[in-house]
Amino acid sequence: MSTITKILIANRGEIACRIIRTARIMGIATVAVYSDADASALHVEMADEAVLIGPAQASESYLKVDAILDAARRTEADAIHPGYGFLSENPDFVERVEKAGLIFIGPSAKAIRAMGLKDAAKALMEKAKVPVVPGYHGEAQELVVLAGKANEIGFPVLIKARAGGGGKGMRKVERQEDFPAALSSARREAKASFGDDRVLVEKYVATPRHIEIQVFGDSHGNVVHLFERDCSAQRRHQKVIEEAPAPEMPEDMRTVMGAAAVKAARAINYCGAGTVEFIVDASDGLCADKFWFMEMNTRLQVEHPVTELITGLDLVEWQIRVAAGEQLPLKQNALSIDGHAVEARIYAEDAGKGFLPAVGRLAHLAFPGGDIRVDAGVRTGDEITPFYDPMIAKLIAHGRTRAEALSKLAGALGRTEIAGTVTNTAFLARLCRDADFAAGRLDTGLIDRNIDSLTAVEAAPDHIIALAVLAASGMVRNGAEGSDPVAAIGPFEIWGSPRRQVALTSGDAEQGFEIERVGAQDWRIGGDGLEAGGVDLTMVRADGCDWQFSTAGVTRRCRVLCAQDAVTVFHEGLTHGFLRPSGARGAEQLGGGDQVVSAMPGIIKQVLVEPGQAVASGDPMVIMEAMKMEMTLNAPRDGVVSEVLVSEGAQVTDGAILVALEAQAKAA
Ligand code: ADP
Ligand code: ADP
Ligand code: MG
């Protein structure tokens, strides 16, 4: 047995904060490492010590083994927790950590290697008699061979990068004729993301449900499972909402799956926390013989809190104890499920625009109090940058039943206030209340099938627009112009001239309004952007950001924030964002139809056109990668390419012009 007295966390964001919390409870000191971009990050503030390890790019900091080991040496840490992502599943890192005389809080390099590549892992699991997804995971990589295998397996098939993760390098192929194109696209993404373009081909399981088992092993040969999590609510093969236990899970299936996962872990002498992911054919409900091994994640997972809430355990504490050489705290028969837990991942992304990741400074961030767990790695004023994962926080609810947990989660999402970037909170709240999801009728296609209703943009009603105009007019001060709007609470105060013109942009449209003060507390707001043409509004009370106002005899309460060029109104679970025109900026405006412009910072993967080339509206021109996504930018109209301003591998900023079209000839 070894003693762990100081842990260096080789990670950032919410997982670094999460690990620090448990270490503190256990009386263990913590060391944060950080990049230039994270100098004032929450995990740095929370840790006992912190060491700068390099520039913003992860490859120069959070992935820099030498810098991390050097930080551990300088702070005399005796163990390293890798969190998830970054170096967490890198066996070479584990070896380097151990060679430096430190404890790696995670499995052995050997176990990580055994499960690191999906093809080898599947072969190993077949040998251990764990059911695996039917398919081809052999050596050959030629198109003819793989296409032939796909035919044998039968369409639809799924092409997967063997080194894949995070849903990358994966393509579902419905028809034989689409196979070659899908293969090269999967390969390109795999090469770019993992430096390895080898793939496997699998049967695409019908009505798929993603059900995974949390396993835990220790160095004394004990292995237990901590039941299942259902992560079927996905978009682009990435988890959106996770829960435990799985809805409608039959007890016999839970037993069989748990045993299969333990068998998988035993096959590699697994020590520490791990997850065995299975794909389940749910076309006839859940049955004990319709699940197959997909992969094993040899680390703590993003969604581990739902398991913690139904078991009452702290998985990070277990990880630390096991790493120190202790026995697992509990045996299988001492583990049981209490109630139901659901987790939602809040991301800076635009659900309505294909979940386009977003960046921005979190001008305001407030989570609901009460009976809800919030795992966040950021606070008000922090920046979501293009360098790292755009996750803002996780909200986790526990209830006696699934319905109770879902209802709590939806309510908490509705009370979450985030200004400064677009987020998926409204989408998540709608998903919680979706009829199929609420009834437990879920599979991995659920979100795609209901995407329109889940992402429908609700136009702001007249009374909200009128209120935003009032806020933007500057005629009511609400702590508006201060850097911290919540703190700058002043008395409700009226100043300036009684009539003003105000321009506001909501979505892509700019509208002009006129606002006039007609009484001590009364305003008349007019403009074409209002459905009724005009609104009479009475302010009842303004206490900082808490505004109470009435229109047409109805008094409402909402929260109003003004920061720089933005006005944000939080009302009934929705976030209504408005911009004053100087701050308005959209790809369309920037591009003006003659240019292809990047809407966000990213890296150019491929340029598909050259100067002089004729293109038709919608033709793909540039493929770029921004954050965790590959995006194709298309021609805005028919025309001829006049200039290509970027080349492959180039890093571009938000708003950069990538390709220009020749100016359009005037119609004769
Ligand atoms: P999991 O399989 O644990 O649910 P996902 O597959 O959704 O996680 O995400 C996979 C990877 O995304 C993580 O292993 C990590 O590489 C990356 N990731 C997600 N969030 C973060 C974060 N906050 N910081 C660093 N990496 C992250
Ligand atoms: P990653 O390493 O990116 O997490 P996985 O192999 O775990 O890759 O698969 C990610 C997701 O893709 C799964 O959660 C599931 O939704 C879907 N998926 C994977 N394999 C299959 C399959 N054979 N049939 C249907 N869906 C699948
Ligand atoms: Mg997976």
Side-chain angles (χ1 to χ4, degrees):
M1 281 250 280
S2 3
T3 327
I4 295 178
T5 58
K6 191 188 275 191
I7 297 175
L8 179 143
I9 298 131
N11 214 300
R12 63 180 301 283
E14 71 87 14
I15 190 61
C17 300
R18 160 76 192 85
I19 295 162
I20 293 171
R21 250 176 262 128
T22 289
R24 183 144 302 154
I25 293 169
M26 295 174 75
I28 298 172
T30 52
V31 180
V33 291
Y34 64 97
S35 70
D36 286 333
D38 280 337
S40 58
L42 184 59
H43 76 284
V44 175
E45 181 185 295
M46 283 176 68
D48 298 308
E49 290 168 279
V51 181
L52 174 67
I53 51 169
Q57 286 82 0
S59 59
E60 299 301 312
S61 49
Y62 296 105
L63 293 171
K64 205 108 198 146
V65 176
D66 288 330
I68 291 168
L69 291 179
D70 188 51
R73 191 183 49 74
R74 279 157 56 195
T75 53
E76 298 180 329
D78 39 33
I80 294 189
H81 196 307
Y84 52 70
F86 296 128
L87 294 165
S88 62
E89 293 180 279
N90 182 329
D92 299 336
F93 178 59
V94 179
E95 281 168 355
R96 292 283 309 276
V97 169
E98 286 170 352
K99 226 172 109 195
L102 302 169
I103 296 172
F104 179 76
I105 303 178
S108 67
K110 204 167 158 215
I112 296 178
R113 250 182 219 121
M115 289 296 181
L117 297 172
K118 290 183 205 287
D119 50 0
K122 283 181 75 176
L124 184 74
M125 289 300 104
E126 268 176 339
K127 250 177 60 193
K129 303 259 182 309
V130 174
V132 306
V133 188
Y136 174 75
H137 45 265
E139 282 292 307
Q141 291 292 310
E142 298 81 22
L143 169 63
V144 281
V145 179
L146 294 178
K149 294 291 179 190
N151 279 337
E152 278 170 33
I153 296 163
F155 288 90
V157 299
L158 194 62
I159 302 172
K160 276 186 190 178
R162 68 168 190 164
K168 276 193 172 182
M170 201 176 292
R171 296 289 182 278
K172 179 181 177 187
V173 194
E174 306 272 2
R175 303 170 312 171
Q176 191 178 351
E177 54 267 42
D178 300 333
F179 191 84
L183 180 64
S184 45
S185 143
R187 277 207 173 124
R188 186 174 58 239
E189 197 172 294
K191 183 82 191 163
S193 310
F194 315 110
D196 178 349
D197 67 357
R198 303 178 58 121
V199 298
L200 49 151
V201 184
E202 276 183 7
K203 175 81 195 152
Y204 187 84
V205 170
T207 323
R209 260 173 78 176
H210 173 122
I211 300 181
E212 58 185 35
I213 308 282
Q214 175 73 54
V215 293
F216 236 106
D218 65 21
S219 54
H220 307 272
N222 302 304
V223 182
V224 298
H225 71 83
L226 282 74
F227 314 105
E228 77 278 5
R229 292 185 288 257
D230 193 313
C231 314
S232 303
Q234 300 186 346
R235 48 107 181 129
R236 253 187 276 110
H237 305 301
Q238 287 185 32
K239 299 159 185 170
V240 173
I241 287 190
E242 304 103 335
E243 59 185 300
E248 312 290 334
M249 180 77 157
E251 200 51 55
D252 65 325
M253 185 173 185
R254 173 172 296 136
T255 307
V256 176
M257 283 184 85
V262 167
K263 193 153 55 165
R266 281 199 189 284
I268 54 170
N269 291 323
Y270 198 76
C271 184
T275 297
V276 184
E277 294 189 336
F278 295 101
I279 194 85
V280 171
D281 176 348
S283 41
D284 293 316
L286 298 183
C287 11
D289 59 354
K290 286 202 175 158
F291 69 91
W292 299 274
F293 172 88
M294 277 194 299
E295 64 163 346
M296 179 167 183
N297 292 324
T298 50
R299 55 173 161 90
L300 191 68
Q301 268 183 288
V302 175
E303 59 273 23
H304 75 277
V306 293
T307 299
E308 296 188 318
L309 292 192
I310 61 157
T311 58
L313 302 171
D314 180 334
L315 298 196
V316 174
E317 179 193 340
W318 276 40
Q319 285 189 297
I320 296 171
R321 292 196 182 289
V322 163
E326 289 183 33
Q327 302 247 5
L328 286 176
L330 294 174
K331 297 258 186 280
Q332 191 70 57
N333 59 16
L335 292 160
S336 60
I337 299 177
D338 168 35
H340 201 98
V342 197
E343 169 183 283
R345 302 183 185 195
I346 299 179
Y347 278 93
E349 66 182 14
D350 193 337
K353 290 190 179 150
F355 299 99
L356 192 68
V359 291
R361 198 181 77 87
L362 301 170
H364 174 72
L365 182 65
F367 296 110
D371 185 17
I372 189 100
R373 172 168 163 183
V374 180
D375 282 17
V378 286
R379 46 195 169 1
T380 294
D382 286 352
E383 187 118 21
I384 304 294
T385 71
F387 298 111
Y388 315 112
D389 191 274
M391 187 159 75
I392 295 171
K394 305 183 295 197
L395 296 191
I396 314 108
H398 183 259
R400 282 163 300 178
T401 62
R402 181 172 189 265
E404 190 179 294
L406 271 181
S407 165
K408 272 189 195 171
L409 183 62
L413 285 162
R415 282 177 285 126
T416 297
E417 299 177 350
I418 303 173
T421 184
V422 56
T423 75
N424 63 346
T425 45
F427 161 76
L428 292 169
R430 271 197 208 144
L431 181 55
C432 290
R433 297 191 166 112
D434 174 88
D436 285 332
F437 188 68
R441 286 188 300 269
L442 69 163
D443 62 78
T444 61
L446 179 129
I447 290 179
D448 277 343
R449 277 197 303 278
N450 300 333
I451 194 72
D452 291 338
S453 62
L454 290 172
T455 59
V457 180
E458 273 173 55
D462 275 4
H463 53 266
I464 296 294
I465 298 174
L467 193 73
V469 170
L470 176 59
S473 73
M475 292 165 91
V476 171
R477 193 194 296 173
N478 77 324
E481 316 300 334
S483 57
D484 184 354
V486 187
I489 296 174
F492 173 36
E493 192 183 311
I494 299 156
W495 54 295
S497 66
R499 185 193 290 237
R500 286 189 188 184
Q501 305 290 327
V502 174
L504 270 191
T505 299
S506 168
D508 295 328
E510 183 184 321
Q511 304 274 2
F513 299 90
E514 188 176 78
I515 175 163
E516 184 183 359
R517 186 181 162 212
V518 294
Q521 317 261 355
D522 306 309
W523 277 267
R524 180 162 301 143
I525 294 119
D528 292 343
L530 295 164
E531 205 151 288
V535 170
D536 289 309
L537 185 151
T538 302
M539 280 301 292
V540 178
R541 204 176 52 89
D543 183 4
C545 302
D546 289 318
W547 288 29
Q548 216 177 351
F549 66 103
S550 33
T551 56
V554 181
T555 300
R556 295 183 173 87
R557 187 189 298 275
C558 63
R559 306 249 306 151
V560 181
L561 288 168
C562 302
Q564 290 152 3
D565 294 322
V567 174
T568 310
V569 180
F570 300 107
H571 184 245
E572 290 182 335
L574 292 178
T575 303
H576 301 282
F578 301 88
L579 288 177
R580 293 176 199 157
S582 63
R585 203 158 51 127
E588 293 81 354
Q589 279 167 280
L590 287 165
D594 286 338
Q595 292 155 349
V596 175
V597 173
S598 71
M600 54 179 14
I603 294 165
I604 304 301
K605 288 281 147 203
Q606 226 180 341
V607 179
L608 304 162
V609 292
E610 48 189 54
Q613 187 175 333
V615 291
S617 170
D619 279 358
M621 301 184 94
V622 176
I623 297 174
M624 70 179 275
E625 191 190 80
M627 311 187 89
K628 289 173 100 184
M629 220 174 101
E630 191 176 280
M631 274 178 287
T632 305
L633 304 181
N634 303 319
R637 59 168 170 83
D638 296 352
V640 174
V641 175
S642 65
E643 214 180 336
V644 175
L645 296 111
V646 286
S647 53
E648 279 168 35
Q651 240 174 331
V652 295
T653 56
D654 179 6
I657 301 167
L658 310 179
V659 177
L661 296 180
E662 281 176 13
Q664 218 151 8
K666 288 267 180 309

